[in-house]
Amino acid sequence: MELARATNRSVRLRNRSALLTKLFLDGPLTRQDLVRSTGLSQPAVSNVVADLIDEGLVAEAGAAESDGGRPSMLLRIAPRFAFVVGVDVGETRVRVELFDFAMTLLASIEYPLDPARTEPDLVAGHVLAGIDAVTGQAQVAPGDVLGVGIGVSGVVEQGVEAVVHAQALGWDRVPLERLINAGTDLPLHIDNGAKTLGQAEMWFGAGRGARHAVFALVGSGVGASVVTGGATYRGASSSAGEWGHTTLVYGGRACRCGARGCLEAYVGAEAIIDRYREARRGRQVPGEDEESQLAALVAAADTSVTARRVLDETAGYLGAGVANLINLFNPERVVLGGWAAMALGDLLPAVREAAGRQALRQPFEQASIELCRLGVDAVALGAATLPIARFLTEGGIRR
């Protein structure tokens, strides 16, 4: 009897998870749509949906168009069932955003970071202040927040508490989860920023429908998320995807990680600006921060041979890096995201051309290379999906 009850409960949770996930990613849908797409029986769908409506997790969203007969009701995830916070801990700012359960952005705040002052305590303080600020702006009670997802630069070692290794920030085994937990009781979910960007694009953007894809984040630094068979590849200790620290030029430019010739030392925003400064014989690049300086470089390319040459070289380097991804992982898609990639979006044709020269012909012909569709918010949006992914996997049961 005990075994039968446990089995029935696990089946029901699995069914709840399947239906909730389908509604979250593809809703609104009818009950008939759910039967067809999940393979569950009509009675199973009806029973589970009734429970989810009673719990306030699912709501009816009007009648579907009908060719005749009684119209079917559309179902969707209830937007106000819960809220989630997404945090992008970059190298130049901390962005904190609040979303409802339909992933509608409700509030956002940013805290600039001085690259010379990225102390873990300071970053944790910004995260905590941001959580208070966005929930206050939207008048959302802490008890209505399902959790906080955080995307951060560097390797995130998962365990009892997430620990971050980020050589470019000077972080070595930083107990970031413990530091933030000291100021909030909300559940925390911490992952690498490229991986949260990849999850956002898989769920809502350029990765939808793909089973094998690579999402490259190009900002101050460079990283990637590798998705194979629909799941993020993490490696032995979750450090898979450190694309920016693969060697592009043996013995080449010094990288912030301490090695030489890394891809990041050529196509990261800091490196592009530094290369432009060197090409200008040491003259400073106009602008107060990396974003404005990169924008100045892009704008100057219309009239400056030097600026044009730096951008052309950048496209070549980036294309070579993309070719390495294609040769290594044979993806259907390579998606370029991050604020620097968006700023350099006009280079995409040249990046594709350079990748085609460097990649093996057969895998290159199978892969598309495109920009991300979610813009500069992709890391924070993807981070906000981390507590939701856990919630959906557990069948919509709050722990």
Side-chain angles (χ1 to χ4, degrees):
M1 186 68 71
E2 292 284 341
L3 180 60
R5 277 200 294 266
T7 300
N8 289 338
R9 183 175 185 276
S10 65
V11 169
R12 195 161 187 82
L13 284 176
R14 189 162 61 244
N15 292 348
R16 285 171 61 99
S17 177
L19 293 174
L20 280 171
T21 301
K22 195 67 184 171
L23 283 172
F24 186 86
L25 295 178
D26 299 325
L29 298 168
T30 66
R31 290 168 176 82
Q32 290 75 20
D33 293 332
L34 292 170
V35 169
R36 285 191 293 268
S37 61
T38 65
L40 298 176
S41 68
Q42 182 80 47
V45 169
S46 296
N47 290 336
V48 172
V49 165
D51 288 345
L52 296 174
I53 291 175
D54 287 344
E55 295 167 22
L57 234 175
V58 170
E60 292 186 338
E65 292 185 8
S66 173
D67 295 329
R70 184 178 177 182
S72 299
M73 292 302 296
L74 288 166
L75 304 168
R76 64 175 297 187
I77 294 290
R80 308 293 289 188
F81 173 78
F83 303 86
V84 286
V85 174
V87 182
D88 176 2
V89 177
E91 297 179 23
T92 58
R93 65 169 50 81
V94 175
R95 177 184 284 122
V96 184
E97 298 183 338
L98 178 74
F99 301 86
D100 68 15
F101 219 57
M103 300 312 294
T104 300
L105 179 63
L106 302 179
S108 178
I109 193 166
E110 288 188 356
Y111 300 92
L113 281 179
D114 181 346
R117 293 195 66 241
T118 55
E119 293 91 345
D121 287 336
L122 177 67
V123 170
H126 286 330
V127 173
L128 290 168
I131 293 170
D132 288 342
V134 295
T135 52
Q137 287 174 31
Q139 297 183 323
V140 168
D144 292 329
V145 177
L146 183 67
V148 178
I150 302 166
V152 61
S153 301
V155 176
V156 180
E157 184 180 348
Q158 302 293 347
V160 177
E161 292 180 324
V163 174
V164 180
H165 308 259
Q167 288 177 225
L169 299 178
W171 291 11
D172 183 24
R173 295 194 58 79
V174 168
L176 186 63
E177 183 170 358
R178 186 190 312 163
L179 293 174
I180 299 171
N181 255 333
T184 181
D185 293 326
L186 294 174
L188 301 179
H189 307 258
I190 303 178
D191 207 347
N192 170 266
K195 291 181 173 67
T196 69
L197 177 145
Q199 179 151 307
E201 290 290 336
M202 281 294 289
W203 281 22
F204 310 116
R208 279 182 67 88
R211 298 287 294 166
H212 305 279
V214 180
F215 301 90
L217 189 156
V218 184
S220 299
V222 177
S225 174
V226 179
V227 173
T228 178
T232 301
Y233 176 69
R234 295 184 171 275
S237 59
S238 200
S239 73
E242 287 295 328
W243 176 53
H245 301 290
T246 56
T247 302
L248 184 68
V249 179
Y250 180 74
R253 293 174 55 87
C255 181
R256 298 179 304 169
C257 73
R260 303 193 72 88
C262 295
L263 178 68
E264 183 176 297
Y266 293 86
V267 304
E270 181 179 310
I272 296 171
I273 294 164
D274 194 46
R275 287 173 37 236
Y276 186 38
R277 185 183 302 111
E278 291 173 359
R280 286 160 53 90
R281 298 181 181 177
R283 283 186 294 143
Q284 291 300 309
V285 179
E288 297 180 356
D289 54 27
E290 286 184 3
E291 292 189 28
S292 58
Q293 289 174 331
L294 189 59
L297 165 57
V298 172
D302 290 335
T303 55
S304 165
V305 173
T306 301
R308 184 74 262 163
R309 185 177 75 248
V310 170
L311 289 184
D312 289 345
E313 290 172 351
T314 300
Y317 291 135
L318 190 52
V322 169
N324 288 339
L325 293 174
I326 290 172
N327 289 346
L328 281 169
F329 299 110
N330 187 206
E332 302 162 62
R333 298 176 201 167
V334 177
V335 179
L336 300 177
W339 69 266
M342 304 304 294
L344 300 171
D346 288 346
L347 296 181
L348 188 60
V351 171
R352 288 182 179 134
E353 184 180 346
R357 291 195 302 269
Q358 297 295 122
L360 292 170
R361 185 166 54 250
Q362 190 266 353
F364 175 77
E365 290 172 350
Q366 293 180 335
S368 66
I369 304 170
E370 53 193 275
L371 288 176
C372 80
R373 296 179 190 170
L374 301 177
V376 296
D377 279 342
V379 173
L381 176 64
T385 68
L386 297 178
I388 291 179
R390 172 75 63 83
F391 182 75
L392 295 177
T393 299
E394 294 178 346
I397 306 297
R398 294 187 74 162
R399 303 298 181 186

